[in-house]
């Protein structure tokens, strides 16, 4: 399943990744990502912006998991 986000909102992306657990997504202006086990995986083309997005979204996922407990 591929989801396209037209605008980058870390919380929205984190909720999507956490709920679907495995798949692919695309963020306009940033690039494509894959996720597995409820976490974003590093993109094939590693640039600074994509890696910053990766860390920010994974941090949001951790915060969502902490709130759920």
């Amino acid at each position: 399943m591929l989801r396209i986000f037209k605008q980058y909102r870390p919380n929205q992306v984190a909720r999507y990744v956490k709920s679907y657990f495995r798949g692919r997504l695309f963020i306009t202006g940033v690039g494509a990502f894959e996720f597995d086990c409820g976490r974003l995986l590093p993109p094939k083309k590693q640039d600074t912006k994509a890696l910053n997005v990766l860390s920010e979204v994974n941090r949001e996922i951790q915060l969502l998991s902490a709130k759920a407990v």
Side-chain angles (χ1 to χ4, degrees):
M1 173 178 266
L2 175 68
R3 169 79 192 265
I4 298 173
F5 291 93
K6 294 182 189 233
Q7 195 171 28
Y8 171 59
R9 293 186 186 121
N11 195 2
Q12 184 180 21
V13 175
R15 283 186 289 136
Y16 176 78
V17 170
K18 192 171 187 297
S19 64
Y20 283 100
F21 204 70
R22 176 179 228 166
R24 295 182 304 157
L25 61 92
F26 181 84
I27 302 171
T28 304
V30 179
F33 294 91
E34 290 185 18
F35 57 96
D36 191 16
C37 299
R39 297 188 60 86
L40 278 184
L41 301 174
K44 294 181 182 11
K45 179 186 169 198
Q46 295 184 354
D47 61 357
T48 308
K49 188 173 185 178
L51 292 175
N52 287 338
V53 167
L54 169 86
S55 347
E56 190 173 10
V57 170
N58 283 338
R59 239 181 286 126
E60 284 289 328
I61 293 169
Q62 282 182 324
L63 289 174
L64 288 173
S65 295
K67 287 180 185 178
V69 173

